[in-house]
Amino acid sequence: MNKLGEYLLHLRTKHNYSLKFIQEQTGVTDSQQSRIERGITSDISPISLKKLSDFYEVSIIELFKMAGFINDNDLEQYSRVFSYAELLSEEQKLHIQEEINLFTGKPINKEMK
């Protein structure tokens, strides 16, 4: 069994949900869920993972990591560049992007204004 399958099985049994119930709520087929839980496949779309993360109210990032879509290195690179970006206003983000464009010699994207 793979890590993603183990985790999804844990969530489902913790809440005492049936595969059919989850299918009704998310649209992710019961057969696909079963194959993932049993480790037969780890093939799942990012859209299906998003539906499951919303349903279970768990981190999409963790599910993406378990599915192999991203890894810790991807997140580390992102966090180095964008730490605390959520605290900035849109105006501040635009100003910073303009500065980056100035340093890199790239034109300012008119749609950002």
Side-chain angles (χ1 to χ4, degrees):
M1 188 178 296
N2 60 41
K3 191 172 183 179
L4 176 62
E6 290 175 10
Y7 185 60
L8 291 176
L9 177 61
H10 165 76
L11 290 172
R12 186 171 66 79
T13 56
K14 174 182 163 185
H15 295 288
N16 201 26
Y17 294 146
S18 69
L19 293 170
K20 188 61 86 180
F21 176 75
I22 297 167
Q23 177 180 324
E24 291 167 357
Q25 300 300 308
T26 66
V28 180
T29 65
D30 55 350
S31 60
Q32 183 180 27
Q33 293 175 68
S34 176
R35 288 192 308 272
I36 291 167
E37 286 180 1
R38 292 182 289 142
I40 294 172
T41 185
S42 59
D43 185 29
I44 185 167
S45 74
I47 293 169
S48 293
L49 280 179
K50 175 66 174 142
K51 290 176 182 180
L52 291 170
S53 96
D54 289 346
F55 175 74
Y56 286 118
E57 297 179 341
V58 296
S59 166
I60 186 64
I61 299 300
E62 291 306 313
L63 292 184
F64 274 18
K65 284 172 51 178
M66 289 180 207
F69 291 124
I70 60 174
N71 60 38
D72 288 331
N73 187 46
D74 297 327
L75 295 174
E76 184 180 319
Q77 289 177 0
Y78 175 81
S79 67
R80 269 189 267 149
V81 176
F82 297 106
S83 293
Y84 306 110
E86 69 276 5
L87 301 176
L88 300 173
S89 70
E90 287 305 312
E91 184 178 335
Q92 290 168 323
K93 290 176 187 177
L94 177 59
H95 177 74
I96 290 169
Q97 184 61 57
E98 288 173 344
E99 295 297 320
I100 291 169
N101 291 349
L102 178 67
F103 285 118
T104 61
K106 301 292 181 189
I108 296 174
N109 185 348
K110 302 293 185 209
E111 292 177 6
M112 290 185 68
K113 287 192 169 186

